[in-house]
Amino acid sequence: MSYGKPNFLDLSVMTGYERFMKACRAEPVDATPIWIMRQAGRYLSEYVQLRNRMTMEEALNTPEVAAEITLMPLERFDLDAAIIFSDILPPLAGMGLDLSFVPDIGPTIGSPIRSTKAVDLLGVPPANEVMGATLEAIHLVQQQLKSRHIPLIGFAGAPFTLASYAIEGGATRTFALTKEFMYLEPAAWDRLMIKLCGVTIDYLNAQVHAGVDCVQLFDSWVGALSRYDYERYVQPYSRRVITAIEPNIPVIHFSTNTGAYLDSIAQAGGHVIAMDWRIPIDQGRRLVNKPVMGNLDPCTLLGPWRELLPHATEVMQKIGGNPGHIFNLGHGILPTTPIENVERLIEFIHNYDHAKS
Ligand code: 1CP
C-alpha cells in the first residue's frame, strides 16, 4: 500500500522494520509505526476458530501453531511489527507453579505463594529448558518475517506483575495479598523478586538469541502501587532486568495506571516508555523524556469511526510530529473490536500528515 505524503521528512518510503526501529531511537520516520497490543487474539475469527480446536497450552506449546497465530494479524493488516504469540505466565510454570488457563476465567495458579518457604522452593531453570517451544516459534516466525521486513517483538512479564500472579493466584482488584506479602516479608519478597529477575533476564536474552528484534517488558499491574512503594519494592528489580538485556536491542517498558510516577518507571529503564490513556501522551512524554508508545483507549475501537477518529487524532496532535512515537493502544485490544475499525485506524495513522494538522 502507499503511505501517502511522508510525515516528517521527505524520505523514501521505509519498511516496517526501519520505521519501527528508528522510532525506538527517536529518529525521523516517513510515517508513524503502529502495532496493536494483543494483536494476535480473540478479536480475530481465525484465532477463535483455531482455539476451538485446541487449548491455550497446546497453542503455546506447539511452535508451528504459535508461529501461525503470530502471523495472523499480519495477513490482515498493514502492521509495522509482530509480537510473538505466547503469554507472560508460562515462565512461572517453569519455576514450579501450577499454572492453567481456565476458559472464560483466565490464567490461574493452583497453589499460589503464601509463605517464605514457597519462595525458597521455586526453581530458576534456564529458558532453553522450559520455554523451548516459544524460542522455536521465534525461529519459525523470523523465517517468514525477514522477507516482509517487519520486526518481531519478544516479551516477558516484569517482576512485580509476575509476582502478583504468583501470590494472588489469578486476577485481583486490590492486590491485597501481594502488598501484604511485600510489607510482612520484605526479605522473602526480595528473594522472590531476585528469582523472577533471573528467570526473566535469561528468558528475554534467549528470545534475543532466537531472533527477536525488540523486547517489551509488561508491568501491566504495577499501577496498583503508590510511587513510594514502586520505588522501594519494585523499581530496583525492573532496573536489574532491563540493564541485563543484550545491548542494541530496544526495550519497551509498559505499564498502566502509572501516570503519577511515569518518570520513575522511565528511570528504571527502557528505550521506549509505553503508557495507557489515563495520562495525555504529551504530558507522559515530558515526564519520561524518551520515545513513547501509546496510548489510545482500546474501548474507542468499539464505537463508530466518527468517535474513533477524534480520539486517534488527539493522540497524533499531542505528539505533534516529534520523533520517537510508536502508535499503539494503551492496553490490549478487546475481543469485541470490529475488524473494520482496526483497518481504518492503521490506514489513518500511516497517512497522518503532521504538517497539515
Ligand atoms: O498479540 C498477542 O496476543 C501476543 C500474545 C500475548 C501477550 C503479549 C498474550 C496471549 N498474552 C500476552 C501478555 C499478557 N498476558 C499480559 C500482559 C499484557 C496485558 O496486560 O494485557 C498479561 C497481564 C497476561 C495474563 C493473561 N493471559 C490474561 C489477563 C488476565 C488478567 O489477569 O486479567 C489473560 C486473559 C491471558 C490469556 C491469554 N494470553 C494471550 C491470549 C490471546 C489470551 C487469551 C486466551 C484465549 O484465547 O482465551
Side-chain angles (χ1 to χ4, degrees):
M1 79 155 265
S2 106
Y3 290 113
K5 273 246 167 88
N7 255 352
F8 318 120
L9 281 184
D10 194 12
L11 302 173
S12 56
V13 172
M14 292 175 179
T15 64
Y17 181 87
E18 291 166 324
R19 195 175 286 134
F20 180 91
M21 298 305 260
K22 281 179 186 290
C24 290
R25 297 189 295 257
E27 292 171 10
V29 286
D30 65 336
T32 300
I34 172 171
W35 67 281
I36 291 172
M37 279 192 279
R38 296 287 188 99
Q39 64 191 25
R42 289 227 158 253
Y43 73 109
L44 293 175
S45 55
E46 57 274 32
Y47 175 84
V48 174
Q49 275 170 22
L50 188 146
R51 280 296 323 285
N52 286 340
R53 287 188 271 120
M54 65 178 81
T55 64
M56 183 71 177
E57 282 87 345
E58 283 165 342
L60 291 169
N61 290 324
T62 314
E64 295 73 19
V65 172
E68 183 188 341
I69 299 175
T70 302
L71 295 169
M72 279 177 181
L74 302 180
E75 299 297 340
R76 278 187 185 259
F77 311 119
D78 195 10
L79 293 157
D80 293 300
I83 181 161
I84 189 68
F85 178 77
S86 184
D87 196 81
I88 61 166
L89 299 173
L92 291 182
M95 296 174 81
L97 290 168
D98 174 22
L99 169 70
S100 49
F101 291 91
V102 184
D104 302 323
I105 295 184
T108 58
I109 305 276
S111 313
I113 291 177
R114 298 287 160 78
S115 67
T116 61
K117 180 147 179 280
V119 171
D120 298 324
L121 288 174
L122 286 175
V124 186
N128 281 330
E129 259 171 39
V130 289
M131 297 304 298
T134 300
L135 298 173
E136 176 59 22
I138 290 170
H139 275 295
L140 296 177
V141 171
Q142 271 302 25
Q143 285 166 13
Q144 305 283 320
L145 288 185
K146 281 278 185 278
S147 58
R148 301 196 201 197
H149 308 289
I150 288 173
L152 178 61
I153 303 168
F155 68 89
F160 176 84
T161 293
L162 291 179
S164 77
Y165 281 105
I167 294 170
E168 305 280 345
T172 165
R173 224 163 33 80
T174 60
F175 295 85
L177 293 168
T178 309
K179 293 184 192 183
E180 183 185 15
F181 195 87
M182 201 169 85
Y183 298 138
L184 270 178
E185 302 289 352
W189 174 259
D190 180 62
R191 294 202 299 282
L192 172 61
M193 294 296 267
I194 297 237
K195 283 188 171 182
L196 292 169
C197 285
V199 163
T200 305
I201 291 166
D202 180 58
Y203 181 38
L204 286 172
N205 284 333
Q207 292 181 59
V208 172
H209 295 139
V212 301
D213 303 289
C214 167
V215 297
Q216 177 155 329
L217 193 64
F218 282 99
D219 216 349
S220 304
W221 309 134
V222 78
L225 298 180
S226 64
R227 172 190 283 271
Y228 178 79
D229 280 348
Y230 177 73
E231 291 178 356
R232 187 177 165 111
Y233 293 104
V234 175
Q235 195 196 40
Y237 307 100
S238 296
R239 181 179 290 127
R240 186 181 177 117
V241 170
I242 294 169
T243 38
I245 296 168
E246 296 284 341
N248 304 318
I249 293 291
V251 179
I252 304 173
H253 190 177
F254 167 78
S255 57
T256 68
N257 249 315
T258 51
Y261 53 89
L262 214 47
D263 52 327
S264 213
I265 300 275
Q267 278 155 23
H271 302 86
V272 179
I273 306 301
M275 62 195 74
D276 70 10
W277 58 93
R278 295 175 180 91
I279 182 166
I281 199 162
D282 53 340
Q283 210 175 306
R285 200 168 68 86
R286 280 194 296 276
L287 280 175
V288 304
N289 201 21
K290 289 183 181 194
V292 291
M293 187 172 91
N295 73 339
L296 190 66
D297 183 343
C299 290
T300 63
L301 274 90
L302 301 179
W305 178 250
R306 70 178 144 74
E307 225 7 77
L308 176 51
L309 175 65
H311 283 92
T313 305
E314 202 226 0
V315 173
M316 296 303 275
Q317 280 175 344
K318 286 199 166 357
I319 292 294
N322 286 296
H325 177 221
I326 298 169
F327 193 97
N328 206 322
L329 310 184
H331 207 164
I333 189 166
L334 296 162
T336 49
T337 304
I339 294 291
E340 312 78 71
N341 278 345
V342 182
E343 283 166 355
R344 274 182 98 165
L345 176 66
I346 295 169
E347 199 185 335
F348 171 74
I349 297 303
H350 277 155
N351 287 304
Y352 189 87
D353 187 351
H354 281 286
K356 279 196 188 154
S357 67

